[in-house]
């Protein structure tokens, strides 16, 4: 059965070793040490980390796959498929999401990235009340449509894909928005009008007014404070729009702009794994045919026998010392540091 299983050994990474050895202690000490500063520990955090610790662990079972042509067999370990945490599963998700956007969603027009950031002193509202993040996003959208309206003189509806990011490059609390935006929008007659340049400081000013208006309406900020902040030369609201998207688009109808987001298709999963790993786990190593799952092996006794038979190991080594772990864990957050601090 040698060669039936190709482990990728996530347990040898710094991230895995740190969590394997310290996550229980972190949970036990969270309330006393971190809750005051970082707020309530959301249950999803524990759930995601526990799933990540099982990702690719042979002890959690296998799928047995077989080639219908030459009957070759392999074992495939289970992935956690968590979002935004497991480096392996997250990169597959990104690939899948990007592919779906390019092929189904994006219009055949130029796009750019627009990043919206807020003043440091306002971060605290979004840190303790994540529901406000949705409204922050709508503030970004309103300021953008307003900007297009002011610069072109007509009501344009831009195409926007919005991503809320709650942390900065040092994994600090730093709520900000990444928008992928069409360079222009559709006017009332359904015609796309191009706006090739965005004046970041003007858009930042509109964004600041929207956010402050919203915080005042929620009675989180007094109107006097909002006015004072707006009168400062550097308000702390920033926009960065200089990054243009490189898209090789399949031309699609403008009508798609009205379409609702649909759930990601799951059928492309193996295809995406192939793109990331450059090895298609479902491709027969002997004849190149497409292998099929014939069974899931999750019974502990069976799984243990297979692990013994194949001499599989999945043991997290001791954790690295803190000063070397920190920079390496930070490298996992591979966001450009330019506008994240
Ligand atoms: Zn995973
Ligand atoms: Zn085959």
């Amino acid at each position: 059965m040698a060669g039936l299983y190709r482990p990728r050994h996530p347990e040898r990474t710094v991230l895995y070793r740190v969590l394997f050895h310290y996550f229980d202690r972190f949970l036990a000490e969270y309330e006393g040490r971190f809750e005051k500063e970082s707020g309530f520990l959301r249950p999803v955090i524990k759930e995601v980390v526990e799933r990540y610790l099982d990702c690719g662990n042979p002890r959690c079972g296998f799928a047995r796959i077989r080639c219908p042509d030459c009957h070759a067999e392999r074992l495939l370990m289970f992935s956690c498929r968590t979002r935004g945490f497991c480096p392996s599963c997250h990169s597959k998700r990104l690939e899948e999401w990007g592919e779906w956007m390019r092929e189904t969603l994006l219009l055949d027009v130029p796009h750019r990235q627009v990043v919206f950031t807020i003043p440091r002193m306002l971060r605290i509202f979004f840190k303790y009340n994540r529901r406000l993040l949705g409204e922050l996003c709508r503030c970004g959208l309103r300021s953008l449509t307003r900007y297009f309206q002011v610069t072109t003189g007509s009501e344009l509806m831009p195409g926007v894909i919005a991503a809320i990011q709650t942390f900065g490059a040092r994994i600090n609390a730093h709520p900000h928005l990444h928008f992928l935006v069409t360079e222009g929008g559709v006017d009332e007659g359904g015609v796309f009008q191009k706006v090739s340049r965005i004046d970041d400081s003007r858009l930042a000013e509109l964004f600041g007014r929207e956010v402050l208006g919203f915080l005042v309406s929620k009675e989180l900020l007094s109107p006097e404070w909002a006015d004072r902040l707006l009168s400062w030369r550097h308000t702390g609201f920033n926009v960065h729009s200089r990054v243009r998207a490189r898209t090789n688009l399949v031309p699609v109808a403008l009508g798609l702009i009205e379409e609702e987001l649909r759930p990601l298709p799951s059928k492309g999963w193996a295809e995406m794994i192939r793109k990331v790993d450059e090895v298609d786990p479902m491709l027969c190593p002997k004849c190149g045919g497409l292998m099929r799952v014939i069974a899931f092996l999750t019974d502990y006794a069976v799984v243990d026998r297979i692990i013994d038979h194949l001499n599989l190991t999945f043991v997290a080594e001791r954790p690295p010392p803190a000063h070397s772990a920190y920079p390496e864990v930070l490298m996992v957050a591979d966001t450009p540091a330019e506008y994240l601090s």
Side-chain angles (χ1 to χ4, degrees), residues 27 57 67 92-93 133 169 176 224 235 247 302 319 327:
L27 289 181
N57 184 345
C67 174
K92 287 169 205 161
R93 272 181 174 274
L133 290 166
H176 62 283
E224 294 75 30
T235 60
T247 45
V302 177

Side-chain angles (χ1 to χ4, degrees), residues 165-176:
Q165 196 157 331
T166 53
F167 56 89
R170 296 192 306 270
I171 322 187
N172 53 326
H174 178 13
H176 62 283

Side-chain angles (χ1 to χ4, degrees), residues 105 107 157-160 182 186 253-260:
L105 187 70
L107 303 175
M157 177 56 78
V160 175
T182 50
V186 183
L254 276 178
L256 271 175
I257 205 161
E258 299 289 338
E259 210 169 67
E260 286 203 344

Side-chain angles (χ1 to χ4, degrees), residues 35-201:
E35 193 167 275
K36 192 159 171 268
E37 163 63 22
S38 304
F40 163 71
L41 187 75
R42 292 174 303 137
V44 67
I45 293 170
K46 180 168 181 278
E47 188 194 311
V48 165
V49 171
E50 283 171 356
R51 281 172 63 190
Y52 164 67
L53 289 173
D54 282 345
C55 184
N57 184 345
R59 299 242 168 248
C60 298
F62 311 89
R64 187 171 158 197
I65 57 175
R66 179 190 281 162
C67 174
D69 302 323
C70 72
H71 305 292
E73 282 194 24
R74 278 192 56 210
L75 297 171
L76 201 62
M77 65 209 150
F78 298 135
S79 301
C80 68
R81 300 191 65 169
T82 54
R83 184 172 63 94
F85 192 77
C86 171
S88 162
C89 294
H90 182 66
S91 58
K92 287 169 205 161
R93 272 181 174 274
L94 275 188
E95 191 65 44
E96 190 171 51
W97 165 247
E99 183 95 351
W100 176 76
M101 279 205 310
R102 279 191 296 276
E103 288 179 2
T104 317
L105 187 70
L106 295 185
L107 303 175
D108 189 20
V109 296
H111 288 68
R112 61 176 65 235
Q113 177 183 233
V114 181
V115 182
F116 295 90
T117 50
I118 60 171
R120 208 173 279 257
M121 60 178 286
L122 298 184
R123 289 178 187 171
I124 192 156
F125 297 122
F126 300 91
K127 180 171 163 184
Y128 293 120
N129 185 356
R130 298 172 65 92
R131 292 210 177 131
L132 299 180
L133 290 166
E135 195 51 45
L136 185 67
C137 225
R138 281 184 277 275
C139 289
L141 181 62
R142 280 198 298 270
S143 60
L144 195 67
T145 30
R146 181 102 182 98
Y147 177 84
F148 283 159
Q149 192 185 20
V150 171
T151 49
T152 64
S154 49
E155 299 256 351
L156 296 187
M157 177 56 78
V160 175
I161 294 169
I164 301 166
Q165 196 157 331
T166 53
F167 56 89
R170 296 192 306 270
I171 322 187
N172 53 326
H174 178 13
H176 62 283
L177 308 169
H178 289 249
F179 279 17
L180 184 64
V181 176
T182 50
E183 294 188 1
V186 183
D187 65 17
E188 285 145 338
V191 179
F192 184 82
Q193 290 200 26
K194 200 163 185 294
V195 180
S196 20
R197 226 187 115 250
I198 289 177
D199 181 325
D200 287 353
S201 61

Side-chain angles (χ1 to χ4, degrees), residues 139-310:
C139 289
L141 181 62
R142 280 198 298 270
S143 60
L144 195 67
T145 30
R146 181 102 182 98
Y147 177 84
F148 283 159
Q149 192 185 20
V150 171
T151 49
T152 64
S154 49
E155 299 256 351
L156 296 187
M157 177 56 78
V160 175
I161 294 169
I164 301 166
Q165 196 157 331
T166 53
F167 56 89
R170 296 192 306 270
I171 322 187
N172 53 326
H174 178 13
H176 62 283
L177 308 169
H178 289 249
F179 279 17
L180 184 64
V181 176
T182 50
E183 294 188 1
V186 183
D187 65 17
E188 285 145 338
V191 179
F192 184 82
Q193 290 200 26
K194 200 163 185 294
V195 180
S196 20
R197 226 187 115 250
I198 289 177
D199 181 325
D200 287 353
S201 61
R202 294 236 161 95
L203 180 55
E205 193 194 322
L206 293 172
F207 176 60
R209 287 183 186 279
E210 287 288 346
V211 175
L212 291 171
F214 157 67
L215 292 175
V216 169
S217 76
K218 285 270 169 197
E219 298 182 351
L220 293 166
L221 210 64
S222 72
E224 294 75 30
W225 246 111
D227 285 343
R228 196 179 311 163
L229 216 154
L230 278 175
S231 70
W232 293 344
R233 191 151 169 266
H234 297 289
T235 60
F237 287 100
N238 282 303
V239 167
H240 184 285
S241 72
R242 272 165 292 164
V243 177
R244 296 189 80 191
R246 271 173 297 172
T247 45
N248 291 321
L249 295 177
V250 180
V252 287
L254 276 178
L256 271 175
I257 205 161
E258 299 289 338
E259 210 169 67
E260 286 203 344
L261 287 179
R262 283 165 288 167
L264 286 174
S266 55
K267 63 179 168 57
W269 189 246
E271 166 78 355
M272 297 311 144
I273 294 174
R274 184 183 60 72
K275 285 188 176 162
V276 174
D277 296 347
E278 293 180 2
V279 179
D280 186 344
M282 300 303 278
L283 217 56
C284 174
K286 283 194 185 153
C287 76
L290 197 61
M291 301 178 91
R292 294 205 189 114
V293 174
I294 52 167
F296 291 109
L297 308 172
T298 51
D299 183 305
Y300 283 120
V302 177
V303 167
D304 282 350
R305 268 211 308 281
I306 294 173
I307 288 172
D308 283 349
H309 187 76
L310 295 180

